[in-house]
Amino acid sequence: MKSSQHSIVVGDRTVDLARETLRDERGHIVPLRPRAWAVLRLLATRAGQLVGKDEIMDEVWSDCEVTEDSLVQAIGDIRRALGDAGRPALKTLPRRGYMLVTNGAPTDGTVVSGDATSRSSNIEELPAPSSMPHLSIIVLPFANIGGDSAQDYFVDGVTESLTTDLSRIAGSFVIGRNTAFTFKGKAVDARQIGRDLNVRYVLEGSVQRGGNRFRLNAQLTDTETGSHVWADRFDKPAAELLDMQDEIVSRLANTLNAELIAAEARRAERSPRPDAVDLYFQGRALQNRGVTRVLLAQASDFFARSLALDPGNIEAAVAAAQVDVSLGSAFMADDVNVHFDVAEAALNSALLHAPNHPRAHMLLGAVRIQTGRVANGIAQCRRSLALDRNLADAHGFIGLGKYTSGHSEEVEGHIQEAFRLSPRDTRAFLWFMFVGLAKMSINADREAVDWFRRSLEVNRNHALSHFHFATALALVGDLKEARSIAEAGLALDPAFTIRRYRINAKGDHPIYLARRQRYFEGLRLAGVPEG
């Protein structure tokens, strides 16, 4: 490698700082995405010196909040762009940063002799990363297999919108549509795409119209193993195409969010040295399983370990706050406001660093809805939806806000909107419970029984759903089943009492408080301890 004032030569590549380009031996520009070029430019201007990870992140991503995965992805892009010289020239200094090596002896104790680099005792260099960034994915153009070329624009629209919407998933890295569409109509090898683009997952699909129905098939493939992670089929009546496109994309994005979290958590379990992001995904996977003390304690431990490794991990901080929101929401304390206060402080802190974080706004809304500030809480949830239209859980919390403010008749409409976006959501058990509460509050107890039963059918790991179901059963006179359900709830949360439920009302609206009085008798009839 040799350098001049305006350029640095790396093998057969030239980092042209004057023209801000990377060129090959024939003078052709080697494409690099803007952030990757910015990283390379910074390293080139400091060639032979260690540049810390935090400094690179602050310099290159000063305008947005991203995880370290973005830097790892950029480094991978640079190594591939540099070709054969990429591995020996671009050095990784574990937990510290990166160095672009020049002729002679670089700093920090690394000795270079030609292309061979030996390490001094104070530096343990890792090989170029072979693992792909967490949640890295390419959405390949969906195939139009109906034979109607007029549907091409709709099929392409699904692909483009899904690319955009998946990029909203926390911590995701999604290959841009221009690159993805170069594969349109071609036979592809998912493992080869993974190697070429350094992505962990490939999403493929097809759309077919038959008569008055559309059928969409989708499958997610792990590029490292070539195995299918998930596959599903969506059938819908043909309607207004743009509306249907939005709904299909929302459903796919929400389903994939949960599936990708589960897949990343499984990867992390196999890792001998999980990093902060691995630990975050393991905690999120536990949260998706339900709301019990055991699950929440385990999830909280993963988030604490993640934050210990990376105190700036906003996703882990928001997820940790969600643990306290869940503890307060499920009446798992004599004074639930202790948990709500902790969560609110953590969420406000996260929003100072990432003011447009959708889930942080939604969870802050959930806290305020349940602490007597319903209007502000609903506004926070609407803000989260403006930032991420697919955040179905925000509609669920708006429904809860309607219930606590005495507007139970409006709850079901908001929950139906949540289900429209995410019909098989991991949080569906809560949404069913919210409608059940609304029905019970207007004395529609038989309807409430049906909604609570559906809540337990999709997830039994929620003690509060058991207690509400038992209440409704008792109020309609089915005492035997009510007591059985209450016992199952107490097995999940032995400390739950009627007193705890009574003193922790989630709001002060007089209609809500008045309607709530009849629940206490139902809990007594079901055998829940008075406390």
PDB file of all heavy atoms in Angstrom, residues 159-191:
ATOM      1  N   THR A 159     -43.636  -5.532  -3.114  1.00  0.00           N
ATOM      2  CA  THR A 159     -42.200  -5.709  -2.823  1.00  0.00           C
ATOM      3  C   THR A 159     -41.596  -4.414  -2.296  1.00  0.00           C
ATOM      4  O   THR A 159     -40.863  -4.417  -1.289  1.00  0.00           O
ATOM      5  CB  THR A 159     -41.457  -6.146  -4.095  1.00  0.00           C
ATOM      6  OG1 THR A 159     -42.086  -7.312  -4.637  1.00  0.00           O
ATOM      7  CG2 THR A 159     -40.001  -6.456  -3.791  1.00  0.00           C
ATOM      8  N   GLU A 160     -41.869  -3.307  -2.959  1.00  0.00           N
ATOM      9  CA  GLU A 160     -41.277  -2.026  -2.553  1.00  0.00           C
ATOM     10  C   GLU A 160     -41.775  -1.592  -1.183  1.00  0.00           C
ATOM     11  O   GLU A 160     -40.986  -1.152  -0.326  1.00  0.00           O
ATOM     12  CB  GLU A 160     -41.595  -0.965  -3.599  1.00  0.00           C
ATOM     13  CG  GLU A 160     -40.917  -1.193  -4.947  1.00  0.00           C
ATOM     14  CD  GLU A 160     -41.117  -0.030  -5.893  1.00  0.00           C
ATOM     15  OE1 GLU A 160     -41.146   1.123  -5.422  1.00  0.00           O
ATOM     16  OE2 GLU A 160     -41.253  -0.264  -7.101  1.00  0.00           O
ATOM     17  N   SER A 161     -43.071  -1.701  -0.958  1.00  0.00           N
ATOM     18  CA  SER A 161     -43.617  -1.268   0.337  1.00  0.00           C
ATOM     19  C   SER A 161     -43.103  -2.140   1.466  1.00  0.00           C
ATOM     20  O   SER A 161     -42.813  -1.658   2.572  1.00  0.00           O
ATOM     21  CB  SER A 161     -45.150  -1.310   0.296  1.00  0.00           C
ATOM     22  OG  SER A 161     -45.654  -0.389  -0.630  1.00  0.00           O
ATOM     23  N   LEU A 162     -42.962  -3.439   1.199  1.00  0.00           N
ATOM     24  CA  LEU A 162     -42.462  -4.330   2.236  1.00  0.00           C
ATOM     25  C   LEU A 162     -41.007  -4.022   2.566  1.00  0.00           C
ATOM     26  O   LEU A 162     -40.598  -4.069   3.730  1.00  0.00           O
ATOM     27  CB  LEU A 162     -42.610  -5.779   1.773  1.00  0.00           C
ATOM     28  CG  LEU A 162     -42.383  -6.875   2.812  1.00  0.00           C
ATOM     29  CD1 LEU A 162     -43.269  -6.673   4.036  1.00  0.00           C
ATOM     30  CD2 LEU A 162     -42.647  -8.238   2.201  1.00  0.00           C
ATOM     31  N   THR A 163     -40.220  -3.673   1.556  1.00  0.00           N
ATOM     32  CA  THR A 163     -38.832  -3.265   1.793  1.00  0.00           C
ATOM     33  C   THR A 163     -38.785  -2.066   2.730  1.00  0.00           C
ATOM     34  O   THR A 163     -38.001  -2.011   3.679  1.00  0.00           O
ATOM     35  CB  THR A 163     -38.142  -2.921   0.460  1.00  0.00           C
ATOM     36  OG1 THR A 163     -38.113  -4.092  -0.360  1.00  0.00           O
ATOM     37  CG2 THR A 163     -36.716  -2.443   0.692  1.00  0.00           C
ATOM     38  N   THR A 164     -39.646  -1.089   2.471  1.00  0.00           N
ATOM     39  CA  THR A 164     -39.696   0.111   3.313  1.00  0.00           C
ATOM     40  C   THR A 164     -40.157  -0.220   4.724  1.00  0.00           C
ATOM     41  O   THR A 164     -39.561   0.228   5.713  1.00  0.00           O
ATOM     42  CB  THR A 164     -40.646   1.153   2.691  1.00  0.00           C
ATOM     43  OG1 THR A 164     -40.151   1.523   1.404  1.00  0.00           O
ATOM     44  CG2 THR A 164     -40.747   2.390   3.566  1.00  0.00           C
ATOM     45  N   ASP A 165     -41.210  -1.024   4.827  1.00  0.00           N
ATOM     46  CA  ASP A 165     -41.790  -1.284   6.142  1.00  0.00           C
ATOM     47  C   ASP A 165     -40.906  -2.175   7.009  1.00  0.00           C
ATOM     48  O   ASP A 165     -40.856  -2.009   8.229  1.00  0.00           O
ATOM     49  CB  ASP A 165     -43.180  -1.897   5.986  1.00  0.00           C
ATOM     50  CG  ASP A 165     -44.220  -0.863   5.552  1.00  0.00           C
ATOM     51  OD1 ASP A 165     -43.804   0.198   5.048  1.00  0.00           O
ATOM     52  OD2 ASP A 165     -45.422  -1.113   5.718  1.00  0.00           O
ATOM     53  N   LEU A 166     -40.191  -3.113   6.395  1.00  0.00           N
ATOM     54  CA  LEU A 166     -39.289  -3.944   7.194  1.00  0.00           C
ATOM     55  C   LEU A 166     -38.127  -3.133   7.744  1.00  0.00           C
ATOM     56  O   LEU A 166     -37.563  -3.459   8.784  1.00  0.00           O
ATOM     57  CB  LEU A 166     -38.758  -5.107   6.354  1.00  0.00           C
ATOM     58  CG  LEU A 166     -39.748  -6.225   6.027  1.00  0.00           C
ATOM     59  CD1 LEU A 166     -39.071  -7.315   5.203  1.00  0.00           C
ATOM     60  CD2 LEU A 166     -40.353  -6.816   7.281  1.00  0.00           C
ATOM     61  N   SER A 167     -37.762  -2.061   7.057  1.00  0.00           N
ATOM     62  CA  SER A 167     -36.663  -1.228   7.549  1.00  0.00           C
ATOM     63  C   SER A 167     -37.040  -0.509   8.836  1.00  0.00           C
ATOM     64  O   SER A 167     -36.170   0.019   9.531  1.00  0.00           O
ATOM     65  CB  SER A 167     -36.255  -0.201   6.479  1.00  0.00           C
ATOM     66  OG  SER A 167     -37.266   0.753   6.272  1.00  0.00           O
ATOM     67  N   ARG A 168     -38.345  -0.479   9.158  1.00  0.00           N
ATOM     68  CA  ARG A 168     -38.785   0.146  10.410  1.00  0.00           C
ATOM     69  C   ARG A 168     -38.622  -0.779  11.607  1.00  0.00           C
ATOM     70  O   ARG A 168     -38.752  -0.342  12.747  1.00  0.00           O
ATOM     71  CB  ARG A 168     -40.255   0.570  10.298  1.00  0.00           C
ATOM     72  CG  ARG A 168     -40.529   1.640   9.247  1.00  0.00           C
ATOM     73  CD  ARG A 168     -41.968   2.145   9.370  1.00  0.00           C
ATOM     74  NE  ARG A 168     -42.236   3.218   8.443  1.00  0.00           N
ATOM     75  CZ  ARG A 168     -42.944   3.098   7.339  1.00  0.00           C
ATOM     76  NH1 ARG A 168     -43.451   1.930   7.018  1.00  0.00           N
ATOM     77  NH2 ARG A 168     -43.160   4.134   6.544  1.00  0.00           N
ATOM     78  N   ILE A 169     -38.382  -2.069  11.359  1.00  0.00           N
ATOM     79  CA  ILE A 169     -38.180  -2.999  12.472  1.00  0.00           C
ATOM     80  C   ILE A 169     -36.891  -2.618  13.194  1.00  0.00           C
ATOM     81  O   ILE A 169     -35.854  -2.388  12.569  1.00  0.00           O
ATOM     82  CB  ILE A 169     -38.099  -4.448  11.959  1.00  0.00           C
ATOM     83  CG1 ILE A 169     -39.451  -4.873  11.358  1.00  0.00           C
ATOM     84  CG2 ILE A 169     -37.703  -5.402  13.079  1.00  0.00           C
ATOM     85  CD1 ILE A 169     -39.430  -6.250  10.726  1.00  0.00           C
ATOM     86  N   ALA A 170     -36.973  -2.548  14.502  1.00  0.00           N
ATOM     87  CA  ALA A 170     -35.827  -2.114  15.303  1.00  0.00           C
ATOM     88  C   ALA A 170     -34.594  -2.961  15.007  1.00  0.00           C
ATOM     89  O   ALA A 170     -34.632  -4.180  15.080  1.00  0.00           O
ATOM     90  CB  ALA A 170     -36.169  -2.196  16.785  1.00  0.00           C
ATOM     91  N   GLY A 171     -33.490  -2.297  14.651  1.00  0.00           N
ATOM     92  CA  GLY A 171     -32.225  -2.977  14.445  1.00  0.00           C
ATOM     93  C   GLY A 171     -32.075  -3.665  13.112  1.00  0.00           C
ATOM     94  O   GLY A 171     -31.087  -4.353  12.878  1.00  0.00           O
ATOM     95  N   SER A 172     -33.036  -3.493  12.203  1.00  0.00           N
ATOM     96  CA  SER A 172     -32.962  -4.205  10.929  1.00  0.00           C
ATOM     97  C   SER A 172     -32.049  -3.496   9.935  1.00  0.00           C
ATOM     98  O   SER A 172     -31.830  -2.286  10.008  1.00  0.00           O
ATOM     99  CB  SER A 172     -34.359  -4.346  10.308  1.00  0.00           C
ATOM    100  OG  SER A 172     -34.883  -3.075   9.943  1.00  0.00           O
ATOM    101  N   PHE A 173     -31.510  -4.289   9.015  1.00  0.00           N
ATOM    102  CA  PHE A 173     -30.756  -3.751   7.879  1.00  0.00           C
ATOM    103  C   PHE A 173     -31.365  -4.380   6.631  1.00  0.00           C
ATOM    104  O   PHE A 173     -31.296  -5.598   6.452  1.00  0.00           O
ATOM    105  CB  PHE A 173     -29.267  -4.080   7.976  1.00  0.00           C
ATOM    106  CG  PHE A 173     -28.484  -3.570   6.799  1.00  0.00           C
ATOM    107  CD1 PHE A 173     -27.981  -2.285   6.786  1.00  0.00           C
ATOM    108  CD2 PHE A 173     -28.282  -4.371   5.688  1.00  0.00           C
ATOM    109  CE1 PHE A 173     -27.281  -1.808   5.687  1.00  0.00           C
ATOM    110  CE2 PHE A 173     -27.584  -3.908   4.590  1.00  0.00           C
ATOM    111  CZ  PHE A 173     -27.083  -2.615   4.591  1.00  0.00           C
ATOM    112  N   VAL A 174     -31.986  -3.570   5.781  1.00  0.00           N
ATOM    113  CA  VAL A 174     -32.717  -4.066   4.622  1.00  0.00           C
ATOM    114  C   VAL A 174     -32.049  -3.538   3.355  1.00  0.00           C
ATOM    115  O   VAL A 174     -31.846  -2.333   3.203  1.00  0.00           O
ATOM    116  CB  VAL A 174     -34.200  -3.635   4.664  1.00  0.00           C
ATOM    117  CG1 VAL A 174     -34.976  -4.257   3.501  1.00  0.00           C
ATOM    118  CG2 VAL A 174     -34.828  -4.038   5.995  1.00  0.00           C
ATOM    119  N   ILE A 175     -31.709  -4.453   2.455  1.00  0.00           N
ATOM    120  CA  ILE A 175     -31.101  -4.067   1.186  1.00  0.00           C
ATOM    121  C   ILE A 175     -32.096  -3.233   0.371  1.00  0.00           C
ATOM    122  O   ILE A 175     -33.284  -3.554   0.301  1.00  0.00           O
ATOM    123  CB  ILE A 175     -30.682  -5.321   0.376  1.00  0.00           C
ATOM    124  CG1 ILE A 175     -29.608  -6.105   1.138  1.00  0.00           C
ATOM    125  CG2 ILE A 175     -30.199  -4.945  -1.018  1.00  0.00           C
ATOM    126  CD1 ILE A 175     -28.293  -5.386   1.296  1.00  0.00           C
ATOM    127  N   GLY A 176     -31.613  -2.167  -0.242  1.00  0.00           N
ATOM    128  CA  GLY A 176     -32.468  -1.242  -0.977  1.00  0.00           C
ATOM    129  C   GLY A 176     -33.144  -1.878  -2.180  1.00  0.00           C
ATOM    130  O   GLY A 176     -32.688  -2.882  -2.735  1.00  0.00           O
ATOM    131  N   ARG A 177     -34.247  -1.271  -2.617  1.00  0.00           N
ATOM    132  CA  ARG A 177     -35.049  -1.838  -3.689  1.00  0.00           C
ATOM    133  C   ARG A 177     -34.295  -1.876  -5.005  1.00  0.00           C
ATOM    134  O   ARG A 177     -34.499  -2.788  -5.816  1.00  0.00           O
ATOM    135  CB  ARG A 177     -36.376  -1.104  -3.836  1.00  0.00           C
ATOM    136  CG  ARG A 177     -36.309   0.401  -4.153  1.00  0.00           C
ATOM    137  CD  ARG A 177     -36.317   0.744  -5.620  1.00  0.00           C
ATOM    138  NE  ARG A 177     -37.486   0.294  -6.325  1.00  0.00           N
ATOM    139  CZ  ARG A 177     -37.512   0.075  -7.625  1.00  0.00           C
ATOM    140  NH1 ARG A 177     -36.392   0.230  -8.333  1.00  0.00           N
ATOM    141  NH2 ARG A 177     -38.605  -0.303  -8.244  1.00  0.00           N
ATOM    142  N   ASN A 178     -33.420  -0.912  -5.273  1.00  0.00           N
ATOM    143  CA  ASN A 178     -32.712  -0.919  -6.553  1.00  0.00           C
ATOM    144  C   ASN A 178     -31.836  -2.156  -6.704  1.00  0.00           C
ATOM    145  O   ASN A 178     -31.776  -2.775  -7.768  1.00  0.00           O
ATOM    146  CB  ASN A 178     -31.866   0.344  -6.705  1.00  0.00           C
ATOM    147  CG  ASN A 178     -32.713   1.586  -6.913  1.00  0.00           C
ATOM    148  OD1 ASN A 178     -33.865   1.496  -7.306  1.00  0.00           O
ATOM    149  ND2 ASN A 178     -32.149   2.745  -6.633  1.00  0.00           N
ATOM    150  N   THR A 179     -31.151  -2.515  -5.625  1.00  0.00           N
ATOM    151  CA  THR A 179     -30.358  -3.740  -5.656  1.00  0.00           C
ATOM    152  C   THR A 179     -31.260  -4.958  -5.752  1.00  0.00           C
ATOM    153  O   THR A 179     -31.012  -5.886  -6.529  1.00  0.00           O
ATOM    154  CB  THR A 179     -29.477  -3.838  -4.396  1.00  0.00           C
ATOM    155  OG1 THR A 179     -28.567  -2.744  -4.375  1.00  0.00           O
ATOM    156  CG2 THR A 179     -28.697  -5.142  -4.372  1.00  0.00           C
ATOM    157  N   ALA A 180     -32.328  -4.977  -4.957  1.00  0.00           N
ATOM    158  CA  ALA A 180     -33.223  -6.136  -4.940  1.00  0.00           C
ATOM    159  C   ALA A 180     -33.833  -6.400  -6.314  1.00  0.00           C
ATOM    160  O   ALA A 180     -33.954  -7.555  -6.748  1.00  0.00           O
ATOM    161  CB  ALA A 180     -34.327  -5.925  -3.902  1.00  0.00           C
ATOM    162  N   PHE A 181     -34.181  -5.340  -7.032  1.00  0.00           N
ATOM    163  CA  PHE A 181     -34.870  -5.526  -8.308  1.00  0.00           C
ATOM    164  C   PHE A 181     -33.932  -5.994  -9.421  1.00  0.00           C
ATOM    165  O   PHE A 181     -34.401  -6.361 -10.498  1.00  0.00           O
ATOM    166  CB  PHE A 181     -35.620  -4.258  -8.707  1.00  0.00           C
ATOM    167  CG  PHE A 181     -37.033  -4.229  -8.191  1.00  0.00           C
ATOM    168  CD1 PHE A 181     -37.299  -3.822  -6.893  1.00  0.00           C
ATOM    169  CD2 PHE A 181     -38.085  -4.644  -8.978  1.00  0.00           C
ATOM    170  CE1 PHE A 181     -38.591  -3.814  -6.397  1.00  0.00           C
ATOM    171  CE2 PHE A 181     -39.384  -4.649  -8.500  1.00  0.00           C
ATOM    172  CZ  PHE A 181     -39.645  -4.234  -7.206  1.00  0.00           C
ATOM    173  N   THR A 182     -32.626  -6.022  -9.178  1.00  0.00           N
ATOM    174  CA  THR A 182     -31.726  -6.609 -10.179  1.00  0.00           C
ATOM    175  C   THR A 182     -31.904  -8.119 -10.260  1.00  0.00           C
ATOM    176  O   THR A 182     -31.453  -8.746 -11.216  1.00  0.00           O
ATOM    177  CB  THR A 182     -30.248  -6.291  -9.860  1.00  0.00           C
ATOM    178  OG1 THR A 182     -29.890  -6.898  -8.607  1.00  0.00           O
ATOM    179  CG2 THR A 182     -30.013  -4.795  -9.794  1.00  0.00           C
ATOM    180  N   PHE A 183     -32.578  -8.705  -9.268  1.00  0.00           N
ATOM    181  CA  PHE A 183     -32.818 -10.146  -9.263  1.00  0.00           C
ATOM    182  C   PHE A 183     -34.180 -10.508  -9.843  1.00  0.00           C
ATOM    183  O   PHE A 183     -34.553 -11.681  -9.858  1.00  0.00           O
ATOM    184  CB  PHE A 183     -32.731 -10.697  -7.826  1.00  0.00           C
ATOM    185  CG  PHE A 183     -31.371 -10.577  -7.213  1.00  0.00           C
ATOM    186  CD1 PHE A 183     -31.060  -9.500  -6.383  1.00  0.00           C
ATOM    187  CD2 PHE A 183     -30.396 -11.529  -7.455  1.00  0.00           C
ATOM    188  CE1 PHE A 183     -29.810  -9.385  -5.805  1.00  0.00           C
ATOM    189  CE2 PHE A 183     -29.145 -11.431  -6.875  1.00  0.00           C
ATOM    190  CZ  PHE A 183     -28.843 -10.349  -6.061  1.00  0.00           C
ATOM    191  N   LYS A 184     -34.938  -9.534 -10.311  1.00  0.00           N
ATOM    192  CA  LYS A 184     -36.294  -9.805 -10.783  1.00  0.00           C
ATOM    193  C   LYS A 184     -36.273 -10.779 -11.959  1.00  0.00           C
ATOM    194  O   LYS A 184     -35.537 -10.603 -12.924  1.00  0.00           O
ATOM    195  CB  LYS A 184     -36.990  -8.509 -11.195  1.00  0.00           C
ATOM    196  CG  LYS A 184     -38.460  -8.722 -11.586  1.00  0.00           C
ATOM    197  CD  LYS A 184     -39.176  -7.413 -11.830  1.00  0.00           C
ATOM    198  CE  LYS A 184     -40.642  -7.668 -12.161  1.00  0.00           C
ATOM    199  NZ  LYS A 184     -41.390  -6.410 -12.376  1.00  0.00           N
ATOM    200  N   GLY A 185     -37.106 -11.818 -11.842  1.00  0.00           N
ATOM    201  CA  GLY A 185     -37.239 -12.786 -12.917  1.00  0.00           C
ATOM    202  C   GLY A 185     -36.106 -13.779 -13.026  1.00  0.00           C
ATOM    203  O   GLY A 185     -36.073 -14.581 -13.963  1.00  0.00           O
ATOM    204  N   LYS A 186     -35.159 -13.752 -12.083  1.00  0.00           N
ATOM    205  CA  LYS A 186     -34.003 -14.645 -12.157  1.00  0.00           C
ATOM    206  C   LYS A 186     -34.112 -15.754 -11.117  1.00  0.00           C
ATOM    207  O   LYS A 186     -34.660 -15.557 -10.031  1.00  0.00           O
ATOM    208  CB  LYS A 186     -32.704 -13.858 -11.911  1.00  0.00           C
ATOM    209  CG  LYS A 186     -32.440 -12.761 -12.934  1.00  0.00           C
ATOM    210  CD  LYS A 186     -31.168 -12.006 -12.583  1.00  0.00           C
ATOM    211  CE  LYS A 186     -30.904 -10.875 -13.585  1.00  0.00           C
ATOM    212  NZ  LYS A 186     -29.690 -10.100 -13.207  1.00  0.00           N
ATOM    213  N   ALA A 187     -33.572 -16.909 -11.482  1.00  0.00           N
ATOM    214  CA  ALA A 187     -33.437 -17.981 -10.491  1.00  0.00           C
ATOM    215  C   ALA A 187     -32.350 -17.582  -9.503  1.00  0.00           C
ATOM    216  O   ALA A 187     -31.283 -17.094  -9.903  1.00  0.00           O
ATOM    217  CB  ALA A 187     -33.081 -19.293 -11.184  1.00  0.00           C
ATOM    218  N   VAL A 188     -32.623 -17.756  -8.232  1.00  0.00           N
ATOM    219  CA  VAL A 188     -31.680 -17.267  -7.224  1.00  0.00           C
ATOM    220  C   VAL A 188     -31.288 -18.393  -6.278  1.00  0.00           C
ATOM    221  O   VAL A 188     -32.032 -19.350  -6.061  1.00  0.00           O
ATOM    222  CB  VAL A 188     -32.279 -16.098  -6.405  1.00  0.00           C
ATOM    223  CG1 VAL A 188     -32.556 -14.910  -7.296  1.00  0.00           C
ATOM    224  CG2 VAL A 188     -33.556 -16.532  -5.691  1.00  0.00           C
ATOM    225  N   ASP A 189     -30.094 -18.260  -5.737  1.00  0.00           N
ATOM    226  CA  ASP A 189     -29.576 -19.143  -4.698  1.00  0.00           C
ATOM    227  C   ASP A 189     -29.443 -18.295  -3.437  1.00  0.00           C
ATOM    228  O   ASP A 189     -28.616 -17.384  -3.367  1.00  0.00           O
ATOM    229  CB  ASP A 189     -28.223 -19.708  -5.117  1.00  0.00           C
ATOM    230  CG  ASP A 189     -27.604 -20.632  -4.059  1.00  0.00           C
ATOM    231  OD1 ASP A 189     -28.016 -20.558  -2.886  1.00  0.00           O
ATOM    232  OD2 ASP A 189     -26.709 -21.407  -4.418  1.00  0.00           O
ATOM    233  N   ALA A 190     -30.298 -18.578  -2.454  1.00  0.00           N
ATOM    234  CA  ALA A 190     -30.330 -17.744  -1.248  1.00  0.00           C
ATOM    235  C   ALA A 190     -28.972 -17.692  -0.564  1.00  0.00           C
ATOM    236  O   ALA A 190     -28.554 -16.633  -0.068  1.00  0.00           O
ATOM    237  CB  ALA A 190     -31.390 -18.259  -0.274  1.00  0.00           C
ATOM    238  N   ARG A 191     -28.247 -18.817  -0.534  1.00  0.00           N
ATOM    239  CA  ARG A 191     -26.953 -18.828   0.140  1.00  0.00           C
ATOM    240  C   ARG A 191     -25.946 -17.950  -0.597  1.00  0.00           C
ATOM    241  O   ARG A 191     -25.143 -17.250   0.032  1.00  0.00           O
ATOM    242  CB  ARG A 191     -26.452 -20.260   0.264  1.00  0.00           C
ATOM    243  CG  ARG A 191     -27.399 -21.145   1.077  1.00  0.00           C
ATOM    244  CD  ARG A 191     -26.887 -22.557   1.239  1.00  0.00           C
ATOM    245  NE  ARG A 191     -25.816 -22.605   2.225  1.00  0.00           N
ATOM    246  CZ  ARG A 191     -25.330 -23.732   2.732  1.00  0.00           C
ATOM    247  NH1 ARG A 191     -25.828 -24.900   2.341  1.00  0.00           N
ATOM    248  NH2 ARG A 191     -24.358 -23.709   3.606  1.00  0.00           N
TER     249      ARG A 191
END
